[in-house]
Amino acid sequence: MSEKNGAMDSRMRFMLLFSRQGKLRLQKWYVAVAERDKRKIVRELVQGILARRPKMCSFLEWRDLKVVYKRYASLYFCCAVSAQENELLTLEVVHRYVELLDKYFGSVCELDIIFNFEKAYYILDEFLLGGEVQETSKKDVLKAIELADQLQEVTSALVGEGRGVVGEGRGVI
């Protein structure tokens, strides 16, 4: 248990998405961890979760953390939280992220994550901030993503027309 100014640190430590073959598709770390340690953690958790039988519980006590995972189609969604955290709430956070991905991609699959990983990260960042839920409304998260998509389209169009190119005196984006 870590504490900051007397308050228990209840945020998510990290989220991993990996395939049934053990290929890491997305990783988001909410605490500082050395790259070598990240690789070791990912390897340990992926191997451990993939070795479990499908009917086994989706919660693990691992080191001083609680690991919550859920398989959706060919992807595993895995989160680590403090041992005192409510695993059902964490499972609900995972499920909400999957719902957001489904809504955005229209029945998300592993290929959507592979080819649109930046969008998967963006959706996660709109939903979670610093390992804590920042927005519970699916509608509001999807609206923010839609606005960002529109901004990106407008920006691409302006740059394509030669407007908004930095350093040419035609405007700055």
Side-chain angles (χ1 to χ4, degrees), residues 27-43:
Q27 61 178 326
K28 185 71 173 183
W29 299 82
Y30 297 107
V31 292
V33 179
E35 284 300 317
R36 191 180 70 187
D37 293 335
K38 285 181 185 178
R39 286 191 300 272
K40 184 179 179 190
I41 290 168
V42 168
R43 186 175 52 249

Side-chain angles (χ1 to χ4, degrees), residues 83-141:
Q84 295 75 29
E85 205 52 34
N86 183 331
E87 56 271 2
L88 294 176
L89 286 176
T90 305
L91 199 55
E92 190 60 36
V93 168
V94 169
H95 186 69
R96 178 57 55 102
Y97 180 52
V98 172
E99 288 178 326
L100 288 166
L101 290 171
D102 264 346
K103 211 59 155 164
Y104 183 79
F105 290 111
S107 189
V108 69
C109 68
E110 187 176 353
L111 288 176
D112 291 322
I113 304 296
I114 292 169
F115 292 116
N116 299 294
F117 66 90
E118 68 284 338
K119 196 55 70 177
Y121 276 111
Y122 188 76
I123 293 168
L124 184 61
D125 290 341
E126 282 295 318
F127 177 49
L128 296 174
L129 180 65
E132 295 180 359
V133 175
Q134 83 168 339
E135 181 56 67
T136 58
S137 168
K138 284 189 286 188
K139 183 179 175 182
D140 288 349
V141 171

Side-chain angles (χ1 to χ4, degrees), residues 53-66:
R53 292 188 307 276
K55 297 287 183 189
M56 293 180 82
C57 178
S58 294
F59 312 132
L60 298 170
E61 288 186 14
W62 180 76
R63 298 184 182 178
D64 62 338
L65 298 174
K66 196 177 288 185

Side-chain angles (χ1 to χ4, degrees), residues 154-155 157-173:
V154 169
T155 303
L158 289 175
V159 170
E161 293 175 5
R163 295 189 296 162
V165 178
V166 177
E168 290 191 16
R170 296 183 185 153
V172 178
I173 294 179

